[in-house]
Amino acid sequence: MTEEYYLELSENPVQFESASSVNNVFFDEANKQVFAVRSGGATGVVVKGPDDKCSVAFRMDDKGEVKCIKFSLGNKILAVQRTPKSVVLPDKRTLKLLKSQSINVNWYMYCPETTVLLLSTTVQGNVLQPFIFKNGTMSKMSKFEIELPMVPKPAKLSLSERDIAMATIYGQLYVMYLKHHSRTVNSPGAEVVLYHLPREGPCKKAHVLKLNTTGKFALNVVDNLVVVHHQSTQTSLIFDIKLREPDCAVNIHQPVLPARSIHPYRIPLTGPAVAPSQAPVPCELYSSTWSVFQPDIIISASEGYLWYLQVKLRPMLTLLPDKGKLMDFLLRRRDCKMVILSVCSQMLVGGDKGALPVVAVVFDKLNQVYKEYLEAEQAYTVAMESAPSRSSSAHKRPVRTQAVIDQSDMYTHVLSSFTEKKDVSHKFIIAVLMEYIRSLNQFQITVQHYLYELVIKTLVQHNLFYMLHQFLQYHVLSDSKPLACLLLSLESTYPPAHQLSLDMLKRLSTANDEIVEVLLSKQQVLGALRFVRSVGAHDNVSARKFLDAAQQTSDPMLFYTIFRFFEQRNLRLRGNPNFNPGEHCEEHVAYFKQTFGEQALMRPASV
């Protein structure tokens, strides 16, 4: 059942003194700090942040009930509100009015990440006026109207701040409106309407999330997913605004997955009276005392916990059977790499040719992201080379996200182990490998030689030499030096591989030296000499290299032939058969004299 939960509370929550008659709890969304204020501050104020660096403890005089308390960014200035119309700064400071706006406000909301302030105006409250703060200035943005499910008569405040939230999704700011439908028999259920709020230009209705039920809801945004909590059923839904339903209009979205509860959470018992054997107490999920804050915070003031909501990706493998849709979903998530590789491995288990179209779709989706990253990286490199003097801020290096699954990832985590499986048809294994290579070629990504090697080894393992020959003949496997060397090593198993290798090395016009090295390493010294003569390089090759190789064969007549060839070369080029000191062939001359006698050495031509 554990695999069914795709949402969980963070393992290490921020803990604070729970709310009580003597302890009030406040939350500051900008600094993500919890304030526990005991006795109006007289017996202590403890501030807990996302990490220990943000934790502060102090005392202040009890001058009445604290309605709100916050620090400025960096904990430099404390502000305390005790009355509806006044804010006190305990550290005496002079304030200066920079700008004012005359506007009737029902309520306000502030998004610290984007520094946007949202004001509810008009009698019904559904005309929202945003302001943006930047570099110490306040700018008015385009106001917009929220479509209410029904217009009350006479007019009254109909839009509550409880039904509005602001959050950044995929880098864009959205105003989320929880639209409760009238409770009629034909009620289609509540919706979350997303209004896109750009820096410039009008705010437009962009997406509608269908909840298909009614009741009390709360909203979070986690990893660019909109999470909708439903209190009465104690379940949550997730929506991805980039996933398009095939049978829906562009901006209408259904939940990605079936409704599920957040993973059960247990609170460890603390205190002197707690026995070591006492089990942790289950936490009441979706409690009426929970407070939800953007983007991903859930606070239980009664239990003294602040959690970050997290998405678990592994359950998606069973909950989202459509592999194409699953891949689209996973590629947009933050910690997706190992889960994506798991999907790839799983879809190949017990595979048959009927699964190939699905495999092709998945490979294409992965390689599209891979190609986009490679192009961005290349564009960055070109820009830096063409204008290196410009500041690096002008050209930002593309960030390699976990969604970039390259050939090394696929080879290491999926394909190499897949080719070893005994219970899978070798034809399917080869088809999968070729499908991945096809996809790489389709996106014009250079195929790494180790993928071709995997294909060749699989073909050889199953004695499919005719297929190997065809793949090479029709250049299905691209030429490369490592591949040619692999073919040479297969000569004992498949003799034609030797010539296939030489043909490949010749096609790689820059590989003449490698051909010589490979032939010499296989003690084919005469073959290497014939090759250098065929490409016209015999006047420039190292005599010592060939004489070393000939001597290592322990074939005296072969050594004699090679030695005589280089004597004749010396005579033709310099008029003298002797080797120059710079050629370092002294030991070979000594070996020749020892084996064949000094009289066998060629003499300089007499004038």
Side-chain angles (χ1 to χ4, degrees), residues 491 498-499 502 506 512 515-517 519-520 522-539 541 546 558 561-562 565-566:
E491 186 182 356
H498 175 71
Q499 191 57 45
L502 283 184
K506 283 176 185 174
N512 291 342
I515 295 176
V516 172
E517 293 292 344
L519 290 170
L520 290 178
K522 293 175 70 64
Q523 296 193 337
Q524 296 190 16
V525 188
L526 281 175
L529 199 54
R530 279 196 294 271
F531 175 75
V532 294
R533 292 187 70 176
S534 71
V535 296
H538 53 292
D539 286 350
V541 294
F546 277 79
L558 174 65
T561 305
I562 299 299
F565 170 83
F566 282 105

Side-chain angles (χ1 to χ4, degrees), residues 8-14 265 296 305-310:
E8 64 182 354
L9 302 173
S10 53
E11 196 174 332
N12 298 309
V14 176
Y265 187 90
D296 55 355
Y305 281 89
L306 179 153
W307 294 282
Y308 289 93
L309 187 65
Q310 298 170 340

Side-chain angles (χ1 to χ4, degrees), residues 178-181 187-192 208-215 217:
L178 189 52
K179 187 176 183 180
H180 300 276
H181 281 271
S187 172
E191 299 171 343
V192 177
V208 177
L209 316 181
K210 294 285 190 181
L211 305 185
N212 306 314
T213 186
T214 57
F217 300 94

Side-chain angles (χ1 to χ4, degrees), residues 59-116:
R59 294 170 186 263
M60 59 184 188
D61 295 337
D62 184 1
K63 295 182 178 178
E65 181 190 357
V66 175
K67 296 187 179 297
C68 187
I69 182 169
K70 294 184 181 185
F71 269 123
S72 65
L73 294 175
N75 295 353
K76 291 179 181 174
I77 304 170
L78 179 70
V80 183
Q81 181 184 356
R82 289 191 174 90
T83 66
K85 293 184 179 180
S86 68
V87 173
V88 176
L89 307 177
D91 181 12
K92 296 287 187 280
R93 286 177 178 264
T94 304
L95 297 180
K96 180 182 176 185
L97 179 63
L98 296 175
K99 193 171 182 180
S100 66
Q101 289 278 339
S102 181
I103 187 169
N104 289 323
V105 178
N106 300 303
W107 49 263
Y108 79 94
M109 185 168 289
Y110 181 64
C111 177
E113 286 77 20
T114 56
T115 63
V116 170

Side-chain angles (χ1 to χ4, degrees), residues 80-211:
V80 183
Q81 181 184 356
R82 289 191 174 90
T83 66
K85 293 184 179 180
S86 68
V87 173
V88 176
L89 307 177
D91 181 12
K92 296 287 187 280
R93 286 177 178 264
T94 304
L95 297 180
K96 180 182 176 185
L97 179 63
L98 296 175
K99 193 171 182 180
S100 66
Q101 289 278 339
S102 181
I103 187 169
N104 289 323
V105 178
N106 300 303
W107 49 263
Y108 79 94
M109 185 168 289
Y110 181 64
C111 177
E113 286 77 20
T114 56
T115 63
V116 170
L117 177 71
L118 202 60
L119 305 179
S120 161
T121 68
T122 70
V123 177
Q124 292 173 180
N126 65 323
V127 175
L128 301 182
Q129 174 64 67
F131 291 87
I132 186 164
F133 295 85
K134 193 175 181 182
N135 300 327
T137 62
M138 180 175 73
S139 305
K140 205 172 191 178
M141 300 168 73
S142 300
K143 66 181 177 182
F144 61 100
E145 185 173 338
I146 297 286
E147 296 175 20
L148 297 172
M150 56 183 293
V151 179
K153 293 183 180 178
K156 63 177 182 178
L157 185 62
S158 304
L159 184 66
S160 163
E161 61 187 299
R162 287 196 307 273
D163 296 331
I164 295 288
M166 283 194 288
T168 301
I169 307 170
Y170 292 116
Q172 300 294 317
L173 177 60
Y174 288 91
V175 175
M176 301 186 289
Y177 165 46
L178 189 52
K179 187 176 183 180
H180 300 276
H181 281 271
S182 52
R183 296 170 181 263
T184 61
V185 178
N186 299 321
S187 172
E191 299 171 343
V192 177
V193 184
L194 269 59
Y195 291 83
H196 178 219
L197 185 56
R199 287 287 175 106
E200 295 178 4
C203 179
K204 291 182 179 177
K205 180 178 173 181
H207 302 275
V208 177
L209 316 181
K210 294 285 190 181
L211 305 185

Side-chain angles (χ1 to χ4, degrees), residues 347 355-367 432 435-436 438-439 442-443:
M347 74 179 177
L356 268 181
V358 176
V359 171
V361 167
V362 169
F363 285 164
D364 285 350
K365 287 180 184 296
L366 294 180
N367 287 328
V432 167
E435 193 58 55
Y436 185 61
R438 173 212 58 82
S439 179
Q442 180 177 314
F443 287 96

Side-chain angles (χ1 to χ4, degrees), residues 323-357:
K323 292 289 187 288
K325 188 175 179 182
L326 173 62
M327 201 53 64
D328 286 337
F329 179 84
L330 291 176
L331 283 167
R332 298 190 189 101
R333 307 287 73 84
R334 195 169 39 237
D335 301 318
C336 62
K337 175 167 281 189
M338 297 315 297
V339 181
I340 287 175
L341 292 168
S342 292
V343 172
C344 293
S345 294
Q346 284 187 16
M347 74 179 177
L348 301 178
V349 173
D352 55 68
K353 289 202 171 175
L356 268 181

